[in-house]
C-alpha cells in the first residue's frame, strides 16, 4: 500500500514536466492569437516596419537580426571551442585536463548580464575606436554571444571526443598513422554527431539570449546592412517593450515569443534527427 | 609539422583560458575597490547611484533557497520515477523530450510565461515567490537530466544485493541508490541553481523591483543580476555596476570551487571505502 502510494506520488511529480510545457504552449498561444487574428501570419512575418504607435508590427527585421547575430557568434565560437576541446582531450596532460574543468565551469557560470556588462564597457569602446561605427553593433553582440556559448560547445565536443572508442584510435595507430592523422581522420569524424549537437545547442542559446545582447546591440529596429550596424533581436524586443505594451502591441510581443519558440523547436528537432541518424 | 599543429591547438586552449582571465580580472580590478563592509550591508541610495546592495543580496539568497525547495523535489523525484518505477519506454522518451524542450526554451519566454500566467492569470503580486516559481521551472530539466544519468549509472549489483537482503523498493532507493548517486545529483543541483541566481531576463517581469529589504517571500525584490542590468543599461552608476558584477563573479567562483571540493572529497571517501 505504502509502495503504491510512493509510486503514484512520484508519477504525479514526473507529469509536472509535461504539464509545464503544456501550460507554456497554451499561454503563449492564448496571448498571441489576437495578434495573429488581427494581422495574419503573412503580414506579421513579411512586414519590415515595427512602429507600435502607427500600428505597424512586422517582425522580419528582428528574425533576420536574431539569426545573423547567432550565426556570426557561431562562426567566431566554433573554431576556438573545437580546437580547445581537441587540445584538452587529446593533447594535454592529465593535470592540465583537471585544471580546465573548473575553468570551463566558471565560464559557463558567469551570469549573462556580466558578459553583457563586459561587452558594454570593453568591447564597445574598442569597436568604436578601432573598427568604426558607434560601437553598439551586431559585431559586439556576436562577440559577447560567442564567449557565452564557448563552454556549451567545448563541453559537448569534449564528451563526444572522449566517447570515441579507444580501439578506433589504437587501430589507427597500428596502421601507422600519426596522432594528428588519427585526430583528423578517425576521432573527429567519429565524434561529429556529438560535436554537431553541441553546436546546435550553442546556436539555441545564442538565439535565446536576451539581456547580454540587448546591452550591446543598440536596439535600433532596422534591417542591418553591415555587422557594424545596430539591430534589434526578437528577444531584446520583448524585454524592452514588455513593460509598457498594451492591447495589440502586448499580444504582438507574444507573437515574438511564439516565433522564438518555433525556432528553438526546429533546432531541437535537428538535434534529435542527428542523434537518430547516427544512432547515439 | 606536428609541432606546429600542437602549438596551434595549445594556443587555442590558452586563448580560452585568457578570455576567462581577462573578463574576471577586468571586472574585479574595477569593482573590488568599491566593495567594502558598507557596500554589502547597506541599502542603495538614490536608486543605486550610491549606497550598497544589501537588499539585492537578500533577494538573491531568497531566490536561491526557494528555487531549490521547489525544483529539487520535482527534478530528483521525476528522475527516481523514470529510472526505478516507469516500465513504459515510450513514456520515458516522452518525458525526456519534454525536459529537453524545457531546457532549450529561452529565458525571456519563461519571463513572458511567468508574467501572463502568474501575474495576470493567477493574480499573484510581483514577488520573490513568483520569481522563484519561474526559476524553478527553468532549473527542473537540468536537475532531472543530471539526476537521471547518475541514478542510471549506479551499478545493478548494488541494487540486486539490497533487494536480495530483503529491502523493499523504497528502502533500496533511499539507502542504496540515492547515496551512491548523490555526487552526480548534487552537481546537477549546483549547476541548475547557479544558472537560476544568474538569471535576470526571466524574472524581470515577475519580481517587481524595489530597493527595500524583502521581509517575506511575498514581497517584491530585486536580485543581483537584475540590479546590475539596470545599473549598467540605464547608466545609473558605473562604479556600483562594477562592484555588483564583482560580487556576482565572486559568488560564481565560490560556488564552483566549493562544489568541486565537496565532490572530490566525496569521491575520495567512496573510493577509500
Amino acid at each position: 500500500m505504502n509502495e503504491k502510494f510512493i509510486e503514484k506520488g512520484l508519477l504525479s511529480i514526473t507529469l509536472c514536466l509535461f504539464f509545464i510545457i503544456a501550460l507554456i504552449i497554451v499561454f503563449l498561444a492564448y496571448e498571441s492569437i489576437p495578434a495573429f487574428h488581427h494581422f495574419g501570419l503573412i503580414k506579421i512575418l513579411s512586414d519590415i516596419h515595427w512602429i507600435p504607435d502607427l500600428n505597424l508590427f512586422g517582425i522580419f527585421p528582428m528574425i533576420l537580426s536574431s539569426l545573423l547575430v547567432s550565426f556570426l557568434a557561431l562562426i567566431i565560437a566554433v573554431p576556438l571551442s573545437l580546437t580547445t576541446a581537441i587540445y584538452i582531450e587529446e593533447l594535454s596532460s592529465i593535470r592540465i585536463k583537471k585544471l580546465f574543468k573548473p575553468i570551463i565551469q566558471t565560464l559557463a557560470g558567469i551570469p549573462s548580464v556580466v558578459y553583457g556588462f563586459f561587452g558594454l564597457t570593453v568591447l564597445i569602446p574598442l569597436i568604436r575606436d578601432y573598427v568604426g561605427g558607434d560601437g553598439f553593433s551586431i559585431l559586439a553582440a556576436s562577440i559577447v554571444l560567442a564567449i557565452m556559448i564557448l563552454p556549451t560547445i567545448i563541453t559537448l565536443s569534449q564528451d563526444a571526443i572522449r566517447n570515441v572508442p579507444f580501439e578506433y584510435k589504437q587501430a589507427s595507430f597500428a596502421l601507422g598513422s600519426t596522432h594528428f592523422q588519427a585526430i583528423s581522420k578517425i576521432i573527429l569524424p567519429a565524434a561529429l554527431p556529438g560535436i554537431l549537437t553541441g553546436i546546435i545547442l550553442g546556436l539555441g542559446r545564442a538565439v535565446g539570449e536576451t539581456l547580454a545582447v540587448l546591452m550591446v546591440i543598440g536596439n535600433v529596429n532596422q534591417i542591418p546592412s553591415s555587422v557594424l550596424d545596430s539591430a534589434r533581436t526578437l528577444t531584446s524586443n520583448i524585454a524592452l517593450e514588455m513593460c509598457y505594451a498594451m492591447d495589440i502591441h502586448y499580444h504582438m510581443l507574444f507573437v515574438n515569443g511564439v516565433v522564438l519558440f518555433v525556432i528553438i523547436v526546429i533546432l531541437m528537432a535537428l538535434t534529435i534527427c542527428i542523434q537518430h541518424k547516427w544512432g547515439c | 609539422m606536428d609541432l606546429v599543429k600542437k602549438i596551434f591547438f595549445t594556443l587555442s586552449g590558452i586563448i580560452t583560458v585568457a578570455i576567462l582571465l581577462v573578463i574576471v580580472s577586468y571586472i574585479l580590478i574595477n569593482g573590488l575597490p568599491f566593495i567594502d563592509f558598507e557596500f554589502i550591508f547597506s541599502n542603495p541610495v538614490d536608486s543605486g547611484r550610491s549606497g550598497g546592495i544589501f537588499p539585492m543580496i537578500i533577494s538573491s539568497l531568497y531566490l536561491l533557497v526557494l528555487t531549490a525547495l521547489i525544483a529539487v523535489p520535482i527534478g530528483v523525484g521525476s528522475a527516481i520515477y523514470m529510472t526505478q518505477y516507469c516500465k513504459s519506454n515510450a513514456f520515458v522518451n516522452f518525458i525526456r523530450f519534454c525536459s529537453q524542450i524545457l531546457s532549450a526554451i529561452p529565458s525571456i519566454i519563461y519571463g513572458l510565461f511567468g508574467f501572463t500566467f502568474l501575474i495576470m492569470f493567477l493574480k499573484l503580486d510581483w514577488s520573490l515567490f513568483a520569481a522563484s516559481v519561474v526559476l524553478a521551472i527553468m532549473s527542473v530539466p537540468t536537475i532531472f537530466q543530471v539526476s537521471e544519468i547518475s541514478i542510471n549509472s549506479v551499478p545493478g549489483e548494488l541494487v540486486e544485493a539490497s533487494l536480495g537482503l530483503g529491502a523493499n523498493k523504497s528502502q533500496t532507493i533511499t539507502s542504496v541508490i540515492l547515496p551512491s548517486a548523490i555526487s552526480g545529483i548534487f552537481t546537477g543541483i549546483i549547476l541548475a541553481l547557479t544558472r537560476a541566481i544568474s538569471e535576470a531576463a526571466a524574472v524581470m517581469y515577475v519580481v517587481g523591483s524595489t530597493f527595500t529589504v524583502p521581509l517575506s517571500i511575498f514581497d517584491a525584490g530585486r536580485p543581483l543580476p537584475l540590479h546590475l542590468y539596470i545599473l549598467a543599461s540605464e547608466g545609473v552608476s558605473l562604479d556600483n555596476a562594477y562592484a555588483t558584477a564583482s560580487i556576482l563573479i565572486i559568488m560564481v567562483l565560490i560556488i564552483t570551487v566549493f562544489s568541486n571540493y565537496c565532490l572530490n572529497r566525496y569521491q575520495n571517501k567512496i573510493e577509500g571505502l
Side-chain angles (χ1 to χ4, degrees), chain A residues 3 6-7 10-11 13-18 20-21 23-24 27-28 31 80 83-84 86-87 91 100-107 109-115 117-118 120-122 147 150 154 178-180 208 210-211 214-215 235 238-243 250 253-254 257 260-261 264-265 268 272 275, chain B residues 2 5-6 8-10 12-13 15-17 19-20 22-24 26-27 73-74 77-78 80-82 85 91 94-95 97-102 104-106 108-110 112-113 115-117 120-121 137 140 168-170 194 198 200-201 204-205 225 228-229 232 238 241-242 245 248-249 252-253 256 260:
Chain A
E3 286 288 305
I6 294 173
E7 183 172 348
L10 287 173
L11 173 62
I13 286 176
T14 310
L15 285 174
C16 279
L17 278 146
F18 165 70
I20 293 169
I21 288 270
L23 265 182
I24 291 175
F27 271 86
L28 276 184
E31 294 283 14
L80 182 58
T83 44
T84 304
I86 293 170
Y87 170 71
L91 302 167
F100 261 98
K101 201 182 152 209
I103 287 173
I104 306 287
Q105 275 177 350
T106 316
L107 210 50
I110 292 179
S112 57
V113 188
V114 174
Y115 283 120
F117 181 59
F118 177 79
L120 188 70
T121 49
V122 176
I147 299 174
L150 271 183
I154 292 178
T178 66
H179 195 173
F180 284 103
T210 311
L211 296 181
L214 192 158
M215 287 162 91
T235 49
I238 300 176
L240 281 169
E241 299 190 350
M242 192 62 193
C243 48
Y250 174 79
L253 293 179
F254 281 85
L260 258 179
F261 192 84
I264 295 298
V265 169
M268 285 284 308
I272 291 172
Q275 282 162 1
Chain B
D2 272 8
K5 283 182 191 160
K6 183 155 187 187
F8 172 73
F9 282 106
T10 313
S12 64
I15 291 175
T16 304
V17 179
I19 289 174
L20 178 72
V22 166
I23 294 177
V24 168
Y26 173 80
I27 302 273
I74 299 180
S78 44
I80 293 173
Y81 181 79
M82 297 274 285
Y85 289 96
F91 185 72
F94 174 70
I95 292 293
F97 178 69
C98 287
S99 116
Q100 274 178 337
I101 291 197
L102 272 181
I105 291 178
I108 190 74
I109 291 188
Y110 283 112
L112 273 180
F113 169 72
F115 182 72
T116 143
F117 180 62
M120 305 295 276
F121 183 74
I137 294 176
V140 163
N168 62 24
K169 203 160 192 174
S170 54
T194 321
S198 320
M204 60 194 294
Y205 292 115
L228 169 60
Y229 166 69
L238 208 54
Y242 278 121
L248 275 168
I249 284 191
V252 170
L253 286 177
T256 312
N260 274 315

Side-chain angles (χ1 to χ4, degrees), chain B residues 73-273:
Chain B
I74 299 180
V76 178
S78 44
I80 293 173
Y81 181 79
M82 297 274 285
T83 51
Q84 302 302 316
Y85 289 96
C86 186
K87 301 201 174 60
S88 148
N89 241 333
F91 185 72
V92 170
N93 285 334
F94 174 70
I95 292 293
R96 269 193 204 144
F97 178 69
C98 287
S99 116
Q100 274 178 337
I101 291 197
L102 272 181
S103 61
I105 291 178
S107 52
I108 190 74
I109 291 188
Y110 283 112
L112 273 180
F113 169 72
F115 182 72
T116 143
F117 180 62
L118 297 171
I119 309 291
M120 305 295 276
F121 183 74
L122 294 182
K123 307 276 184 230
L124 289 178
D125 283 332
W126 281 329
S127 62
L128 294 168
F129 174 71
S132 56
V133 170
V134 173
L135 292 179
I137 294 176
M138 286 180 69
S139 314
V140 163
T142 311
I143 299 178
F144 165 75
Q145 283 161 4
V146 180
S147 305
E148 198 195 0
I149 292 169
S150 38
I151 292 176
N152 266 334
S153 59
V154 173
E157 293 85 358
L158 282 181
V159 180
E160 280 159 27
S162 161
L163 293 173
L165 287 169
N168 62 24
K169 203 160 192 174
S170 54
Q171 285 168 332
T172 308
I173 290 170
T174 49
S175 46
V176 176
I177 295 173
L178 284 184
S180 6
I182 195 77
S183 71
I185 294 175
F186 184 68
T187 318
I189 293 173
I190 294 285
L191 198 67
L193 291 181
T194 321
R195 269 191 220 151
I197 54 165
S198 320
E199 187 53 55
V203 297
M204 60 194 294
Y205 292 115
V206 291
V207 79
S209 190
T210 53
F211 293 105
T212 49
V213 178
L215 297 175
S216 88
I217 57 171
F218 298 107
D219 285 345
R222 184 191 266 199
L224 283 167
L226 188 59
H227 185 59
L228 169 60
Y229 166 69
I230 293 169
L231 287 185
S233 67
E234 291 174 8
V236 178
S237 157
L238 208 54
D239 294 345
N240 274 358
Y242 278 121
T244 312
S246 303
I247 298 264
L248 275 168
I249 284 191
I250 292 169
M251 222 164 61
V252 170
L253 286 177
I254 291 175
I255 293 176
T256 312
V257 170
F258 176 73
S259 60
N260 274 315
Y261 172 76
C262 286
L263 275 181
N264 281 340
R265 264 194 70 147
Y266 185 81
Q267 268 162 358
N268 290 342
K269 203 177 121 197
I270 293 265
E271 281 158 14
L273 279 172

Side-chain angles (χ1 to χ4, degrees), chain A residues 220-241:
Chain A
V220 178
N221 206 339
Q222 60 182 8
I223 294 182
S225 53
S226 89
V227 292
L228 294 176
D229 272 0
S230 169
R232 182 183 282 205
T233 60
L234 284 167
T235 49
S236 50
N237 190 49
I238 300 176
L240 281 169
E241 299 190 350

